[in-house]
Amino acid sequence: MNFKDQMIEINHLQFRIRRHGKGKPILALHGFAQNAESWDRLSIDGYEVFALDLIGHGKSDKPIDQEPYQLNAILDQIHQIIHQLFKDRSFILLGYSMGGRIALNYVETYGSNSVDDLIIESSSLGISDEKRRLKRRTSDEKLASEIENKGTTWFSEFWGGLPIFASQKNLDQSLKNALHKQRIENSPHALALTLRSTGQGQIPAIKNERLKMQEKMLYLAGALDLKYTKLARTHFKDVSVIVSGVGHNIHLEAPVEYNRLIKAHLEKEKYENQAHLDSSN
């Protein structure tokens, strides 16, 4: 597979886009402490993947001030990147975990006119209860301080040992090594600022009934990830698929099945859209 890295300047900040494939664009947003390369095994015939390094991650800039890490700033960065990359072309928006929360907020903020399809993997709608939000902010601040004090090698061991990632212990050693490498290459200050700005206790909760794209949306959760399986069945039951034998990071643990599910969904949407156009003529 051929990969092409492209740098884009937004608000005097540099962002990396990692591209592969050919066809209709898919903008892919990675999870916390990951980068664009985490989407390297996403491959859908007839589609080009544009994997973005979010602010503070990968080869994108890692400013030391907090403002560029705030949710509204990130949504504006993405909106400008979309305009530069796609102009007036429609695209598919895909997000995993933190990237999925950002994708949901992007649609909530900017609408879905140019977003042909929204694909969300293992992401929450946010925390609505204020006591739980405060508790999460407190735990995120503790983690942010520990990352600053102990560094990314410590963080990688801690993060990879969380119960939500338990199923990744069964991955090939080469994949585990690549995941560890991605995590330790992060900058401590950038991870800390990300937690303080777009952690689950910081960003507003989305009420799923306000989502404008339920009819052209796919929500994926791994069957071993009980928290997000429950969320899928509660809030996205009509548009969700539970993937057996995997946990939180489906595209890492089962890339072939992941690609198959996304292609099947997009082909179904394409067929239904064409049928609707034919019936209107």
Side-chain angles (χ1 to χ4, degrees), residues 208 213-220 229-242 265 268-269 272:
N208 68 311
M213 299 196 61
Q214 285 273 5
E215 71 281 0
K216 49 178 181 176
M217 178 180 179
L218 175 65
Y219 187 97
L220 296 169
T229 296
K230 180 180 178 181
L231 187 149
R233 290 171 173 157
T234 303
H235 296 288
F236 299 101
K237 62 181 181 179
D238 294 329
V239 293
S240 65
V241 174
I242 309 301
H265 171 74
K268 176 175 176 286
E269 291 291 315
E272 290 178 350

Side-chain angles (χ1 to χ4, degrees), residues 132 148 246:
R132 290 179 56 229
E148 290 173 322
V246 297

